[in-house]
């Protein structure tokens, strides 16, 4: 159970652990490969050539250079080796480096109306290519592609799609073999303005919903219990911030998710939100940060209201992220500001 004794911490030193965002796509693996530009594999390049890099161990890391080639370092970034061909006929949308040997790269083909996923499980010595078709009259959206891993083998990829004269469609794919093959779970997610998914178990996932709707009753979270095939809105309890029986929904505080739910275990999770409202004259009311938490895998959620945001950020830092910390006596939930300093925390008994 939650011990609802919150500690607000104005100044706390932060020790950051390097984390890797995991991303995946589901679809059928195909044997043919796209047209690739010739490249000298295994060539060493200067560290300054990398435009994107991700260190997964003290010495091993991955990167992408200006030619859209995947690079790998085993010297902590002092030197890099080219481990993939260039991809001149595709626009790279996202990368996911899950371990020192596993990597997934997602791109959109320039003229083929499809996505391309490249995956390696042997540090780039060989790559497997998968083509995922776009819907008819669809094109890759400018929205962010998001990949989420539950393990090094099981992950999900969300691909936003713009449709001609139709509402946008978000496609969700799943892999169970580290990106070698992909399966379409949902060809049209039932909610719009999706930010991405995160899974707390192999089948249970969460989808934070962003919307411009005003009022307290629009959903901000959806869940799936079958790996992403079907989704349903989650009803979250409302803290007492609402104007009672307000005839004007602009006076009611509306919730908005901040980031993704964060799970310490399949049962123990939390979601950071912000409640905002407009005065009748259109000006903003003070915002209330609210943390929702669950101890039973999301069947029930409770809330804790943090101090209202101040107009002076130095006096009241804005909550930005949540993180779980394991202790000998249970779990501690930390609320961090944009500076990464812990500004509030409370414990959960095991």
């Amino acid at each position: 159970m939650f011990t609802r004794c919150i500690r607000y911490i104005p100044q706390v030193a932060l020790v950051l652990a390097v984390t890797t965002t995991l991303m995946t796509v589901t679809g059928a693996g195909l044997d043919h490969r796209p047209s690739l530009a010739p490249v000298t594999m295994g060539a060493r390049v200067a560290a300054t050539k990398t435009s994107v890099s991700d260190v997964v161990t003290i010495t091993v890391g991955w990167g992408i250079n200006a030619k859209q080639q995947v690079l790998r370092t085993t010297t902590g970034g002092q030197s890099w080796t080219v481990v993939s061909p260039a991809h001149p006929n595709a626009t790279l949308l996202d990368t996911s480096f899950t371990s020192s040997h596993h990597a997934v790269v997602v791109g959109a083909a320039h003229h083929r109306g499809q996505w391309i996923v490249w995956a390696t499980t042997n540090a780039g010595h060989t790559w497997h290519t998968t083509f995922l078709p776009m819907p008819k009259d669809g094109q890759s959206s400018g929205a962010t592609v998001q990949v989420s891993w539950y393990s090094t083998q099981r992950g999900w990829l969300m691909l936003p799609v713009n449709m001609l004269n139709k509402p946008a469609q978000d496609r969700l794919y799943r892999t169970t073999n580290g990106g070698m093959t992909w399966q379409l779970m949902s060809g049209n997610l039932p909610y719009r303005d999706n930010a991405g998914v995160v899974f707390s178990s192999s089948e249970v996932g969460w989808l934070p919903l962003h919307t411009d709707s005003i009022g307290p009753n629009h959903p901000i979270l959806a869940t799936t219990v079958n790996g992403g095939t079907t989704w349903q809105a989650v009803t979250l309890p409302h803290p007492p911030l609402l104007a009672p029986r307000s005839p004007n929904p602009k006076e009611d505080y509306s919730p908005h998710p901040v980031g993704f739910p964060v799970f310490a275990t399949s049962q123990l999770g939390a979601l950071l939100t912000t409640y905002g409202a407009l005065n009748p004259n259109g000006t903003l009311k003070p915002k209330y940060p609210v943390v929702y938490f669950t101890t039973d895998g999301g069947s029930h959620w409770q809330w804790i209201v943090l101090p209202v945001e101040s107009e002076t950020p130095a006096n009241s830092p804005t909550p930005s992220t949540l993180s779980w910390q394991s202790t000998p006596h249970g779990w501690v939930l930390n609320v961090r500001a944009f500076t990464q300093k812990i500004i509030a925390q409370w414990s959960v008994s095991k």
Side-chain angles (χ1 to χ4, degrees):
M1 60 182 292
F2 255 89
T3 303
R4 296 187 63 171
C5 177
I6 307 175
R7 234 181 343 151
Y8 295 101
I9 307 172
Q11 298 289 333
V12 177
L14 170 65
V15 178
L16 284 177
V18 177
T19 59
T20 303
T21 302
L22 302 181
M23 309 176 91
T24 312
V25 183
T26 41
L30 304 182
D31 294 330
H32 57 287
R33 299 176 65 87
S35 175
L36 303 177
V39 66
T40 303
M41 300 287 288
R44 294 212 166 203
V45 295
T48 54
K49 294 293 185 180
T50 59
S51 58
V52 178
S53 61
D54 195 349
V55 177
V56 294
T57 71
I58 295 176
T59 58
V60 178
W62 300 84
I64 300 289
N65 65 9
K67 294 181 179 180
Q68 301 190 127
Q69 297 167 290
V70 179
L71 310 178
R72 187 170 181 269
T73 180
T74 58
T75 60
Q78 296 182 17
S79 62
W80 295 82
T81 303
V82 176
V83 295
S84 86
H87 305 295
N89 300 317
T91 299
L92 295 194
L93 303 176
D94 216 331
T95 58
S96 177
F97 306 118
T98 62
S99 74
S100 60
H101 290 79
H102 292 74
V104 170
V105 180
V106 183
H110 289 167
H111 305 294
R112 299 189 181 185
Q114 60 190 354
W115 295 281
I116 310 173
V117 184
W118 297 273
T120 181
T121 59
N122 55 12
H125 292 292
T126 59
W127 291 85
H128 181 83
T129 303
T130 301
F131 294 88
L132 304 176
M134 292 184 189
K136 185 179 179 181
D137 298 328
Q139 61 182 357
S140 181
S141 169
T144 302
V145 170
Q146 191 262 354
V147 190
S148 175
W149 295 90
Y150 176 69
S151 67
T152 57
Q153 297 298 306
R154 183 180 293 264
W156 288 259
L157 172 68
M158 193 180 75
L159 297 169
V161 185
N162 287 332
M163 301 297 296
L164 182 63
N165 300 323
K166 295 180 182 179
Q169 295 181 1
D170 290 341
R171 314 202 85 176
L172 185 67
Y173 291 87
R174 181 176 68 180
T175 182
T176 57
N177 53 14
M180 294 293 101
T181 59
W182 300 88
Q183 174 190 2
L184 180 65
M185 304 302 293
S186 176
N188 186 9
L189 290 176
Y191 304 97
R192 298 292 174 258
D193 300 320
N194 301 314
V197 300
V198 63
F199 277 74
S200 56
S201 73
S202 60
E203 296 294 330
V204 178
W206 306 90
L207 180 71
L209 309 176
H210 295 266
T211 176
D212 293 330
S213 300
I214 297 176
N217 296 320
H218 64 270
I220 62 171
L221 187 65
T223 186
T224 178
V225 295
N226 51 20
T229 303
T230 59
W231 295 82
Q232 62 181 8
V234 176
T235 300
L236 296 173
H238 298 298
L241 304 174
L242 309 180
R245 299 183 178 84
S246 170
N248 186 351
K250 290 187 178 182
E251 297 180 359
D252 289 339
Y253 277 90
S254 303
H256 300 275
V258 179
F260 294 93
V262 179
F263 281 82
T265 68
S266 62
Q267 299 299 302
L268 185 61
L271 173 67
L272 177 62
T273 68
T274 296
Y275 274 76
L278 296 177
N279 291 306
N281 62 2
T283 60
L284 288 173
K285 291 184 178 182
K287 292 182 180 180
Y288 285 87
V290 177
V291 175
Y292 285 97
F293 62 87
T294 178
T295 59
D296 58 8
S299 296
H300 302 88
W301 293 83
Q302 303 179 60
W303 51 260
I304 291 181
V305 179
L306 301 181
V308 63
E309 293 182 7
S310 170
E311 295 182 358
T312 307
N315 296 335
S316 177
T318 300
S320 174
T321 57
L322 303 177
S323 64
W324 291 99
Q325 178 182 347
S326 180
T327 72
H329 306 290
W331 290 93
V332 171
L333 181 62
N334 296 316
V335 183
R336 301 184 187 275
F338 286 100
T339 60
Q340 293 300 314
K341 290 181 179 178
I342 300 174
I343 57 177
Q345 65 179 190
W346 57 90
S347 61
V348 184
S349 300
K350 287 185 177 180

